[in-house]
Amino acid sequence: MPPLDNTLTLSDFDYELPEDLIAQSPAEQRNKSRLLRVDVQGHCHDHQFTELIDFVKPHDLLVFNNTKVIKARLFGHKSSGGKIEILIERLLDDQRALAHIKASKAPKLDSTLHFADDQFSAQVLGREDALYELVFSKPLLPLLEEFGATPLPPYITHTPDAEDDERYQTVYAKTPGAVAAPTAGLHFDNELLEQLRQKGINTTFVTLHVGAGTFQPVRTTAIKDHIMHAEWYEVGPEVVTAIQSARAAGGRVIAVGTTSVRALESAAQFGGTIEAMRCPLAHQGDTRLFITPGYQFKVVDALITNFHLPQSTLLMLVAALMGLDSMKKTYQHAIQQRYRFFSYGDAMFIDF
């Protein structure tokens, strides 16, 4: 693997996408999406997602992100009456959170925000760059579940409904805290997971709470100047044990989604590794790990992922794993074959 390429610019990760290929709703069934498999030579193969079971091998380890999407969008008003829209970015404790606030005028320090016909409120404690620190009058998670809306990505144009509440969530979601879904996992249903188990494919779960920053554009021309938003992750000791077992049996570590990649590689970067087994040590904390072409992967062998936005950090991660030229060719193939793109779209398997 070459060293990090500090000459890369934003235009290296651009591509033209017909608007009608942006999926506005999920497939009729979770596992009925398409799967574009890219082999070690960079060749593209068109499949259905259910065929994934033919390409993973006994002793391979699938690593899922078990974060749970919270209903992070709230609507309310300031004490002055001005309307506000809040997107929770991060839970700090039971009643405190960092949030984006849309309002005609920025709310003032110590001001009060009102929600749900004054059934609850929040006080503005301070500001961290674009985010506001808020303390709510009641525990926040139950309030979001009752009064919040599922925070669909900005490119999905319809108002969230009951179907989104179910389908913009993985079937194995467990730990509340994400404001965007780990979308590669949306293709898995319980039936497919059971079929994988019966084939001898092992699974394990990391946690990375995906923030709204995942949709924020990169604003620096030179990629090396971009600073990632912080996200909290945890790689537990059971993950370490599962990776060691897979390595000992000759299996691969296959990340389900870019967020699983970032959790595993962050643990390796910040917690350390068992180098002989390419295995991270258990670790948790904040990560701003930015993976771009030339990055030396310490843990991950292969990746299942969706198709990502042009110029996004997620696309850069994919290019780091499969190579920039191969990524560009693969995306052109996907566009020509009319795959569905982004969160509710189809998947690809970088099958090295």
Side-chain angles (χ1 to χ4, degrees):
M1 185 72 72
L4 288 175
D5 187 345
N6 289 326
T7 68
L8 292 171
T9 65
L10 203 53
S11 62
D12 290 314
F13 301 93
D14 203 7
Y15 66 90
E16 293 293 327
L17 181 70
E19 190 172 338
D20 64 338
L21 295 186
I22 301 174
Q24 294 295 321
S25 58
E28 185 176 347
Q29 298 178 36
R30 285 184 183 268
N31 64 12
K32 296 302 182 186
S33 53
R34 297 167 70 193
L35 179 69
L36 175 54
R37 182 172 65 91
V38 185
D39 64 27
V40 70
Q41 285 83 31
H43 299 146
C44 294
H45 307 270
D46 302 311
H47 301 281
Q48 296 298 309
F49 195 82
T50 49
E51 295 177 76
L52 174 69
I53 197 165
D54 298 327
F55 312 128
V56 290
K57 309 175 184 73
H59 308 302
D60 281 348
L61 178 68
L62 292 176
V63 183
F64 296 90
N65 180 6
N66 68 3
T67 188
K68 186 175 184 178
V69 178
I70 57 177
K71 294 182 178 181
R73 199 177 302 278
L74 289 169
F75 299 89
H77 62 86
K78 296 183 283 189
S79 296
S80 63
K83 293 182 179 180
I84 56 170
E85 177 183 332
I86 285 183
L87 178 64
I88 302 296
E89 168 73 22
R90 183 169 187 168
L91 303 173
L92 298 177
D93 58 32
D94 284 352
Q95 291 183 233
R96 290 187 309 126
L98 293 175
H100 302 268
I101 298 179
K102 282 186 182 179
S104 57
K105 290 185 179 179
K108 296 178 180 178
L109 184 66
D110 292 329
S111 63
T112 301
L113 312 176
H114 306 268
F115 305 93
D117 297 324
D118 284 331
Q119 293 187 61
F120 66 99
S121 63
Q123 183 182 10
V124 180
L125 296 181
R127 189 166 182 175
E128 295 183 16
D129 299 323
L131 298 173
Y132 293 83
E133 183 179 349
L134 307 177
V135 59
F136 286 79
S137 57
K138 300 177 183 178
L140 183 52
L141 276 177
L143 294 175
L144 294 175
E145 187 59 34
E146 183 174 359
F147 300 107
T150 296
L152 292 179
Y155 47 75
I156 293 179
T157 56
H158 68 262
T159 301
D161 55 24
E163 182 185 36
D164 295 304
D165 292 347
E166 177 191 0
R167 295 296 301 276
Y168 196 62
Q169 192 85 268
T170 63
V171 298
Y172 48 80
K174 179 181 179 182
T175 309
V179 300
T183 55
L186 299 180
H187 304 282
F188 290 84
D189 60 9
N190 289 319
E191 180 183 1
L192 180 56
L193 290 171
E194 179 58 30
Q195 290 172 348
L196 289 164
R197 278 191 288 269
Q198 290 178 3
K199 187 176 176 179
I201 309 303
N202 296 309
T203 59
T204 192
F205 297 89
V206 297
T207 303
L208 185 142
H209 291 321
V210 193
T214 193
F215 302 116
Q216 295 298 312
V218 176
R219 293 187 171 90
T220 60
T221 300
I223 300 307
K224 65 180 178 62
D225 295 332
H226 176 68
I227 298 174
M228 289 287 286
H229 59 288
E231 294 172 316
W232 186 88
Y233 75 94
E234 180 175 11
V235 174
E238 71 283 357
V239 178
V240 176
T241 300
I243 292 174
Q244 288 178 297
S245 297
R247 294 281 189 228
R252 297 172 296 172
V253 174
I254 303 173
V256 179
T258 57
T259 59
S260 294
V261 174
R262 292 189 67 235
L264 292 169
E265 296 293 326
S266 293
Q269 288 274 352
F270 309 128
T273 62
I274 305 168
E275 290 190 14
M277 304 193 80
R278 294 184 56 233
C279 179
L281 299 177
H283 197 257
Q284 66 179 47
D286 282 348
T287 180
R288 292 181 181 269
L289 181 62
F290 185 22
I291 297 177
T292 60
Y295 174 85
Q296 301 277 344
F297 285 88
K298 294 178 171 57
V299 183
V300 173
D301 299 311
L303 172 65
I304 299 165
T305 187
N306 280 23
F307 296 98
H308 302 294
L309 289 159
Q311 301 186 353
S312 66
T313 60
L314 307 181
L315 187 63
M316 295 169 194
L317 184 154
V318 170
L321 186 61
M322 68 186 307
L324 182 59
D325 289 341
S326 181
M327 180 275 290
K328 290 180 177 180
K329 291 175 184 176
T330 299
Y331 268 61
Q332 284 308 307
H333 176 93
I335 292 168
Q336 290 166 4
Q337 297 301 315
R338 299 194 59 78
Y339 279 76
R340 301 167 77 241
F341 275 60
F342 307 157
S343 293
Y344 275 153
D346 296 315
M348 62 184 294
F349 180 22
I350 305 172
D351 185 14
F352 291 173

